[in-house]
């Protein structure tokens, strides 16, 4: 089993991603902030998105 080192974005990096998304009219800025600050994982995010 391979182990991967986890890396986390700083608050400044999260803000930069959200700003980039806003500059490109992407609607995901809020969910990116929510995921970053709550620890929502990609699989959970995908499950929520497909449920709607």
């Amino acid at each position: 089993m391979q182990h991967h080192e986890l890396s986390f974005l700083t608050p400044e990096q999260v803000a930069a991603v959200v700003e980039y998304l806003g500059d490109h009219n992407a609607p995901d800025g809020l969910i990116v902030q929510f995921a970053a600050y709550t620890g929502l994982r990609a699989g959970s995010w995908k499950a929520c998105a497909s449920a709607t």
Side-chain angles (χ1 to χ4, degrees), residues 3-52:
H3 294 277
H4 299 280
E5 185 174 330
L6 297 177
S7 60
F8 300 93
L9 297 178
T10 65
E12 293 80 15
Q13 290 171 318
V14 172
V17 170
V18 171
E19 182 178 349
Y20 175 86
L21 292 172
D23 290 347
H24 292 85
N25 296 320
D28 297 327
L30 184 59
I31 192 69
V32 167
Q33 284 182 310
F34 181 81
Y37 292 114
T38 64
L40 183 67
R41 294 180 292 173
S44 299
W45 179 358
K46 185 176 179 181
C48 289
S50 66
T52 58

